Amino acid sequence: MARKKKEKIIVKLDLPKDDTTLTKLYAILGVSIFLGLASFTFWVTNSHFTTAPNGQPLFVNMACGYDPNYVPTFDDNESCQFGLLKDEPDVLVMTPEEPWKEFLGLGQLFDVPGMDENITASVRPQQTMIGTCDVETAIPSDYSFIIYDPSGVEITRYRGNTHANGDKCELFIQNMEKGNLYQLVIISENEVQEATYRLEMDYYDGLPENMNNKSQWIGPEVNLGGLSLRPTIFLNFFGIGFFIMFWPASYYWDRVKEKTNQMEEKFPDFLRDLAEYWKGGLSMTVAVQTLATSEYGALNHEVKKMSDQLSWGVAFGDVIEMFAARVGTPLVLRAISLISEANRAGGKISDILVTAANDSRELKFLEGERKRSIASYISVIWTSYGVFLGVIVVLAKVFIPAIAGSNSDSEDGGGGQQLGNMVIRNIEPLFFLTIFYYGVTMQALGNGSMAGLMATGRFTSGMKHSGLMILLAILCFNVVVFSPDLIGVTTLPALSPSAGTFSP
C-alpha cells in the first residue's frame, strides 16, 4: 500500500511591524534641513550682507584665511587653497576682417591688453601668443611672418616658402606684455595672391575665474546651446536652500497622504460589501476572509492582513480596531468606532455598516468637490505668480541694464543722469537683480503655501507648490537674467587692430 504523501501546512505570519513612516519623514527632514542650512550659509557668506572692510565677502576671507582689514593681492589670490581665487586665462583671437590680397609686404597694428596696473602682483602671469598664417602665391616664393613690439623691435619671425612641402606658418611668443601699436607683418619675395592670419593669446585680467568683480562667487561657466550659464552662482543657493529644506519632506509626506487617500476611497466599498455578506448569513470572520480575494486597490494589503489576523483567532472587534490604528485617518477612525460599538452591542450590524459606508462615501465626495472648486483658485495663484515673475524678469533684463548703461555713459564721470529735477544715481545691476530675486523667491513661498493650504489644508502640500515655483524662478533668472554683464563678469577686451593696414 502506497504511503500517503504528507501535505504541507503553510502559515502566513504577518506579524505587527513598527511603522517607519514617521522615522523616514524625520530622517528626510533632518538631512534636508542640514543641506538647506548649508546652502543658506554659502549664500549669506557671499552676499552683500557680509562684505568685510577689505571689500571681500566673508566666504573669501574664511576660505583663504584673509584678515578682514587686509586687501589681498593677486599673489594672495593665486595661492588661496583649492584654487578658489585662481585666475584662469581667457583666449583672445584676432583675424583680418577680409583676406589680404595682391601685395608684396603688408602690416597691421594691434593692441595687446593686459592686467590692470592697479592690481598688485609681484610677478604678472605670462600671456602666451600663438600666431598662424596662410600665404598663397602664383609661383614658389619665400615669405616672412613677423611680430614687432611697440618700439619696432622684432620679437619673432617665421620664414617659409609658399610651395614647400610641410610648410607650416606658426609663431610662438612666450609672453606678450600689455601695450599698444604692436606690428604684424607679412613680406614675400613675389606678389602674394591672398594671405590670412590668426593670433591667439592667453589673457589674464587679474580677477578670479569663479568670482565676479566684487569677489562674489559666480562659479564656473557652463555653455549650453549657445547660452552662457553660471548654475552655481551664490544667489541660486538662496532659493535652493528653501527648496532643499522643505520640498523633499513635503513630497514624501504628500505621497504618504495620497496613499492613505486611496485607501479611504475604497473603504466605503469594503464596508458595503461587508454588509452584503452579513445580510447573506455569513459571519464577520468568514466575510472578511472572503473579501480578501476581492479587488480594493490600495486597501488590498490591509484587507488581507485583517483576514490573516482573523484566521489566527483574533476577535473581529480587535482586528478592525488595529486596522483603524494603522490607517489613522479621522474618516476611518470614525467609521470603525461606530462599527466596533455596534459589534459589542450585538444586533443587526449590517445597517450600521451601510450607514458607515454611506457616511464615508459622502465625506469623500465632499472632499472631492472641495478640490474641484479650489482648482480654479490654484490656477489663479499660479497665473498671478507667472505674471509677477515675468514682469520682474523684464525689469531685470531690460530696465536695469538701460539705466546702468545710461549712467555709465554720462559726461560727469559716473555721477548719474538728471531727468528734470530728478537725478538718477549710478546703480550696480547685481544689487537690483539680487533684490528682485529675493522678492520672487519670497513670493513663491507665500503663493505656494496658500495654494497648498487651500487645496488640501496641509502645509506640506503648500511647500510642494512653493518648491516648484522656486525652481521656475531659478530657471528663468539663470537663463534670461543672469547674463555676464549683469552679474559682474568683466567684459573681455579685444585683441583687435588699432588702425588700418600699412606697407612696411
Side-chain angles (χ1 to χ4, degrees):
M1 182 176 178
R3 191 172 183 180
K4 189 175 181 181
K5 187 177 180 181
K6 293 183 179 180
E7 295 183 0
K8 290 184 179 180
I9 300 176
I10 300 175
V11 180
K12 295 182 179 180
L13 296 176
D14 193 358
L15 299 175
K17 301 180 180 66
D18 292 335
D19 188 0
T20 60
T21 302
L22 288 179
T23 303
K24 292 178 181 177
L25 174 65
Y26 295 148
I28 294 173
L29 196 57
V31 173
S32 298
I33 290 176
F34 174 77
L35 295 177
L37 291 177
S39 296
F40 283 130
T41 301
F42 185 78
W43 157 71
V44 76
T45 54
N46 277 281
S47 67
H48 296 81
F49 306 118
T50 59
T51 302
N54 62 356
Q56 306 295 317
L58 180 61
F59 172 76
V60 171
N61 289 332
M62 291 176 59
C64 301
Y66 295 155
D67 186 290
N69 297 309
Y70 169 74
V71 179
T73 64
F74 177 79
D75 298 328
D76 295 327
N77 290 342
E78 289 293 295
S79 61
C80 180
Q81 61 180 345
F82 309 121
L84 288 176
L85 303 184
K86 192 172 182 61
D87 182 18
E88 297 294 339
D90 296 295
V91 178
L92 305 183
V93 178
M94 186 181 85
T95 57
E97 293 182 0
E98 295 181 354
W100 293 353
K101 296 182 179 181
E102 300 177 354
F103 66 92
L104 289 175
L106 202 59
Q108 174 69 65
L109 297 173
F110 65 96
D111 299 332
V112 173
M115 191 183 298
D116 194 323
E117 298 297 334
N118 294 324
I119 297 178
T120 305
S122 59
V123 179
R124 296 181 180 271
Q126 293 184 339
Q127 301 187 138
T128 59
M129 175 179 282
I130 296 176
T132 59
C133 70
D134 184 20
V135 181
E136 297 179 5
T137 58
I139 59 176
S141 176
D142 293 331
Y143 70 93
S144 295
F145 181 40
I146 315 166
I147 301 291
Y148 295 96
D149 68 11
S151 61
V153 177
E154 180 180 312
I155 299 176
T156 186
R157 174 192 295 257
Y158 173 82
R159 292 182 174 88
N161 188 281
T162 55
H163 286 65
N165 291 329
D167 180 59
K168 185 178 181 181
C169 177
E170 185 174 277
L171 297 174
F172 177 79
I173 302 174
Q174 185 67 34
N175 183 33
M176 290 290 286
E177 297 285 348
K178 179 181 179 181
N180 298 328
L181 302 180
Y182 279 83
Q183 301 174 38
L184 178 153
V185 176
I186 297 177
I187 300 175
S188 175
E189 290 184 350
N190 299 298
E191 185 179 63
V192 176
Q193 292 180 315
E194 183 174 294
T196 59
Y197 65 85
R198 179 183 177 88
L199 299 181
E200 294 184 4
M201 188 189 79
D202 290 340
Y203 164 71
Y204 290 87
D205 57 6
L207 299 178
E209 180 69 16
N210 295 324
M211 303 288 180
N212 64 6
N213 51 20
K214 297 292 183 180
S215 295
Q216 294 169 315
W217 179 269
I218 58 175
E221 182 181 11
V222 176
N223 292 307
L224 183 63
L227 295 174
S228 176
L229 305 177
R230 300 275 184 168
T232 59
I233 184 173
F234 76 97
L235 283 175
N236 281 344
F237 287 88
F238 178 73
I240 291 173
F242 283 111
F243 179 82
I244 294 178
M245 187 174 289
F246 297 114
W247 198 85
S250 299
Y251 177 78
Y252 170 76
W253 192 245
D254 250 29
R255 289 288 300 273
V256 171
K257 290 299 182 182
E258 181 61 29
K259 183 179 179 181
T260 303
N261 182 64
Q262 291 174 359
M263 288 193 290
E264 287 184 342
E265 292 286 348
K266 293 295 183 179
F267 183 61
D269 296 336
F270 170 70
L271 294 181
R272 181 201 61 201
D273 293 344
L274 197 60
E276 292 298 326
Y277 276 101
W278 174 267
K279 291 178 182 179
L282 297 179
S283 66
M284 283 299 177
T285 300
V286 177
V288 172
Q289 291 175 338
T290 304
L291 291 175
T293 59
S294 302
E295 177 58 41
Y296 292 106
L299 200 59
N300 282 343
H301 179 69
E302 293 296 335
V303 176
K304 184 66 172 61
K305 183 176 288 188
M306 286 191 288
S307 174
D308 292 340
Q309 289 172 336
L310 289 170
S311 67
W312 303 336
V314 182
F316 174 75
D318 295 335
V319 168
I320 59 175
E321 287 180 359
M322 285 189 285
F323 162 72
R326 287 195 301 271
V327 178
T329 62
L331 183 144
V332 173
L333 288 172
R334 173 179 173 177
I336 293 300
S337 175
L338 182 64
I339 296 170
S340 181
E341 289 296 328
N343 182 59
R344 279 195 290 268
K348 198 173 182 182
I349 195 174
S350 59
D351 292 341
I352 303 299
L353 290 171
V354 171
T355 301
N358 292 337
D359 180 65
S360 300
R361 194 184 307 278
E362 185 67 22
L363 289 175
K364 295 306 294 182
F365 175 78
L366 292 175
E367 186 178 311
E369 280 293 304
R370 176 192 175 188
K371 288 183 179 180
R372 286 187 288 272
S373 61
I374 291 297
S376 59
Y377 293 98
I378 295 177
S379 300
V380 170
I381 290 176
W382 269 94
T383 302
S384 64
Y385 177 74
V387 171
F388 176 74
L389 178 60
V391 171
I392 290 297
V393 167
V394 170
L395 284 175
K397 187 62 178 177
V398 179
F399 179 72
I400 296 303
I403 295 296
S406 65
N407 287 344
S408 63
D409 295 336
S410 61
E411 297 179 357
D412 58 1
Q417 286 282 329
Q418 183 167 353
L419 300 176
N421 295 325
M422 180 177 65
V423 177
I424 303 177
R425 296 298 179 187
N426 284 345
I427 64 173
E428 180 189 346
L430 183 58
F431 174 76
F432 281 89
L433 296 189
T434 300
I435 299 300
F436 288 161
Y437 180 69
Y438 294 162
V440 167
T441 304
M442 292 296 102
Q443 185 79 359
L445 289 173
N447 282 13
S449 299
M450 185 58 64
L453 288 172
M454 291 175 63
T456 63
R458 295 194 304 269
F459 179 74
T460 54
S461 182
M463 285 297 99
K464 278 183 59 179
H465 286 277
S466 295
L468 295 177
M469 289 180 179
I470 288 173
L471 287 183
L472 180 61
I474 291 175
L475 179 65
C476 290
F477 268 75
N478 279 269
V479 173
V480 180
V481 179
F482 290 154
S483 57
D485 58 321
L486 297 182
I487 62 176
V489 177
T490 304
T491 303
L492 290 178
L495 181 67
S496 59
S498 58
T501 57
F502 65 92
S503 297

